Every structure is written in C-alpha cells, then in structure tokens.
Amino acid sequence: MTSTLITGIGELTTHDPELGSRTDAALVLDGERIAWVGAACAAPEADVRVDVEGRAVLPGWVDSHSHMVFAGDRTAEFAARMAGQSYSAGGILTTVAATRAADDAELTANLRRLVTEAVSQGTTCIETKTGYGLTTEEEEREARLAAGLVDELTYLGAHLVPAETEAESYVDTVTGPMLDAVAPYARWADVFCERGAFDEDQSRRILLAAQRKGLGLRVHGNQLGEGPGVRLAVELGAASVDHCTYLAQSDVDALASSDTVATILPACDLSTRQANAPARALLDAGATVALAANCNPGSSYTTSMAFCVTTAVLQLRMSVAEAVWSATAGGARALRRTDVGVLRPGARADVHVLDAPSITHLAYRPGVPLTWAVWRTGTRER
C-alpha cells in the first residue's frame, strides 16, 4: 500500500469533535484509510507528498439520496414546469418506460457517467436507488447493475404504482417476489409515501416487510405537502426521511426527538419550484439534517453537492459550517455510517481539496467550480 502525506492545508475541516477544525494542518492516507491527522510541522513521512499550498481540505461529500439507474431524460417536462406547470409524481412513469427499454450496457454506462461526474466534484460516498423498473425482473436488474458501482444501494420498488397494475396487487409484489429478488443486493428499502404514490397503510406494510427481510429503512416523505411520511419514518426507526419540504410543527418535534435524519434536497425544491424546506426550524429544534443532491432525470438532474451546499446557505439560512456538515457528516448519519463524512485516523480516506482558502468560499463564490483534488478510498481521482 502507498501512503500519501497531504500537507500545507490552510483550513482543515475534520468533523471529529476531538480534532475540530485546524489551520496549517496535514494528514496521512495509508491505503484506503486515514492514518494520521495533525499539525503540518509534526507530520510523519509518507511515500508520496502533496502540498496543497494553503487550500482548504474537508471530507468528501456524502450524497445519501440519488436515483442514478435510469435511461432517457425529461427535458420537456422541466421546460413545461419552468413555464408554469406544477410538479407531480406521475412523470416518473416516463423514465420507467425509457429504463425498461434500455439494455444493460446503456444503463451501466449512464450510471458510470453520473458517478464519475459526482466524484470529480468531490462526492466520495454515493447512495442510489432502484425504482425505475417497477417489475420484479427490472428492479432486480437495476439492483444488480448498480451494486458494484455505488457505496450504498436502496430498494425502491415502491416508487410509484405502474400504470398496468392495481395498487394493492402491486404492493403484494413489492413486499413479496420483488423484495426477495432485490434484497441480496441492497442494504436499504424506501417508499414514496405521498399522495399519488403510496398511502400510509401501504407504506407501513412495505417498510415492515423490508425490515423483516433485514433491510434498513428510508422514507420519501412530505415532498408535495404535509402528510404521514415523517411520522411513519420516526415510528419505524427509519434512518432518514427525505425531502421534508412541508412539515408541521409536530413533524419538526418528532424528528428533533428521534434518531431519524431529516434529509433535505434543495436542488429538487428549486427544480420543482416548491417552497424551501424548513432547514432553519429543524436545526434550531435540534434535528439532525443531511443535504443530498437527489440526482434524477425528472426533478433534480444534478450531481453537484457543492450547489446544494450553496443553495442551503443562500436560500435556507444555514450557515456554511452547518451546510458542509450536513453534506458530509449528516449524509453519513443518514446512511448510519461512521467511516465517511469525517477526517480522522481509521476513517475511509475520502478527501476533498478546494481551490480556495476556506469552506466559506463554497457559498461566497456561488457557481464557481472549486474542487481542486479528490481522494476516494485512498485513490486520487482528480
């Protein structure tokens, strides 16, 4: 294994309570792990030395919510929305049709392209979901193709009821043969608990079946309006409830008193022209907040976590430090991981170097590509 000393760090953001943030710092990567963190003047020798000349270093982004296994696009739908049409979940079926028609090579190539694009911008841990197949065979295919290309895989057969199927019959499939087929590839199960998708009873049934199968739980909730998503996620101990655009005070209180992470998807809210998620209220109440890109062809076609951080600061009234934590350590919490989203000895060697002296520049210079270097599991990707 090759060791790498990254030195000359102007501002080091570790998200480790004992290490904190440091100036004039250094760290050593040894294989796939971080071996040492401290003052540059005390840094040990390593096989390779990289002087970042005063640049800021932080953990790689942890994108805990994406939908990257798909074919086609929905440009026309986006243009119509920008012209005044409202967003609805029904457009998902357009992507389902295109995905079913694509062969394995096309789906794999598109997923690789999106992962490469994300990594080049500092994202080093990626979750993605199935959910554009909606048959047992197609959901299994998506899971099989994605399993080796992303860090975390979520089963989302409960994305929408396909047009050719009756709802209760489809729930039987999602909780039966489809779950059996996808479970060997996935760590998580998710459900779109929303009007036009799955109601509270159906969502609970789907989540409980997945839990019995040994999968962790996630929930799409409260995207299109107030509803049962947050309440159900907290009740069942889900790792996260994602979107959280429309929350009652009782939802905020429930999240603040639980271990369920509120994952906010600011690029999605912008793209669908919905209200801003109440990030400030969640943080002030003591809830754990994550930020994620929600890359998908319909409502958030971006892999840029930096854009999400910028938006969270400029529009959601989060501080830069809060937004960066939510896009790294917060995402790790949403995935129930302690080895990513943090820079400390023993953590995965996921490092993001900015071409800027501090993380403040992520919001201070909106839209400017600031990624200077990226290490993912110890390998330099950029």
Side-chain angles (χ1 to χ4, degrees):
M1 294 189 297
T2 300
S3 60
T4 300
L5 168 64
I6 302 173
T7 191
I9 300 170
E11 177 190 82
L12 177 64
T13 300
T14 70
H15 292 148
D16 180 275
E18 295 184 6
L19 294 170
S21 295
R22 294 168 172 248
T23 57
D24 193 22
L27 54 86
V28 174
L29 315 182
D30 191 0
E32 297 182 354
R33 299 287 162 179
I34 296 172
W36 181 88
V37 180
C41 62
E45 293 299 319
D47 299 319
V48 177
R49 180 187 178 96
V50 178
D51 187 344
V52 300
E53 300 177 331
R55 293 178 171 88
V57 173
L58 64 154
W61 304 126
V62 180
D63 190 349
S64 61
H65 184 124
S66 77
H67 304 254
M68 292 186 177
V69 189
F70 67 86
D73 71 21
R74 282 148 66 185
T75 304
E77 177 189 321
F78 175 80
R81 201 160 59 242
M82 297 304 101
Q85 291 187 15
S86 62
Y87 174 75
S88 71
I92 292 168
L93 295 179
T94 302
T95 301
V96 170
T99 303
R100 289 177 178 178
D103 62 22
D104 289 5
E106 182 179 350
L107 291 179
T108 300
N110 193 49
L111 175 57
R112 287 186 185 277
R113 175 182 67 84
L114 292 170
V115 169
T116 299
E117 183 178 279
V119 172
S120 73
Q121 301 171 86
T123 300
T124 52
C125 183
I126 300 171
E127 181 269 4
T128 204
K129 308 174 196 298
T130 70
Y132 290 129
L134 307 188
T135 68
T136 297
E137 295 74 20
E138 288 293 325
E139 287 292 302
E140 187 277 338
R141 178 170 76 124
E142 289 188 26
R144 173 171 42 83
L145 295 177
L149 298 178
V150 296
D151 301 270
E152 300 274 347
L153 183 66
T154 300
Y155 166 49
L156 185 57
H159 201 182
L160 207 65
V161 177
E164 69 273 13
T165 308
E166 186 270 332
E168 289 304 314
S169 174
Y170 186 65
V171 172
D172 289 341
T173 299
V174 169
T175 58
M178 188 184 289
L179 174 60
D180 292 339
V182 176
Y185 302 99
R187 184 183 174 205
W188 304 99
D190 200 343
V191 61
F192 192 12
C193 181
E194 193 67 72
R195 67 175 186 264
F198 298 89
D199 65 24
E200 182 175 0
D201 290 341
Q202 292 165 338
S203 298
R204 181 180 285 103
R205 181 180 163 198
I206 290 163
L207 293 169
L208 288 174
Q211 194 173 59
R212 288 192 296 270
K213 198 72 175 177
L215 299 182
L217 304 183
R218 329 187 70 73
V219 176
H220 277 60
N222 300 65
Q223 177 185 6
L224 305 179
E226 291 182 17
V230 166
R231 183 174 67 252
L232 184 61
V234 172
E235 172 194 328
L236 298 182
S240 71
V241 55
D242 300 15
H243 285 288
C244 294
T245 309
Y246 297 96
L247 301 181
Q249 185 60 49
S250 59
D251 296 320
V252 174
D253 294 342
L255 287 164
S257 62
S258 76
D259 292 329
T260 298
V261 174
T263 300
I264 293 174
L265 311 173
C268 180
D269 292 335
L270 277 176
S271 178
T272 55
R273 288 192 165 166
Q274 294 186 244
N276 290 329
R280 189 72 263 149
L282 287 163
L283 289 165
D284 290 346
T288 301
V289 172
L291 293 174
N294 189 27
C295 179
N296 76 85
S299 63
S300 186
Y301 200 6
T302 183
T303 55
S304 176
M305 289 290 285
F307 175 74
C308 295
V309 166
T310 300
T311 302
V313 174
L314 298 182
Q315 293 200 284
L316 305 188
R317 298 179 57 229
M318 296 176 73
S319 71
V320 174
E322 287 170 336
V324 168
W325 189 94
S326 295
T328 51
R333 293 270 187 96
L335 296 171
R336 296 289 193 257
R337 295 184 65 149
T338 59
D339 63 327
V340 295
V342 64
L343 297 178
R344 63 170 171 242
R348 204 168 83 169
D350 289 354
V351 180
H352 185 192
V353 184
L354 300 180
D355 196 7
S358 75
I359 59 173
T360 301
H361 282 240
L362 289 161
Y364 179 47
R365 305 195 67 208
V368 177
L370 293 178
T371 298
W372 186 78
V374 180
W375 281 262
R376 187 185 188 198
T377 61
T379 298
R380 188 164 183 176
E381 302 283 356
R382 174 173 175 165

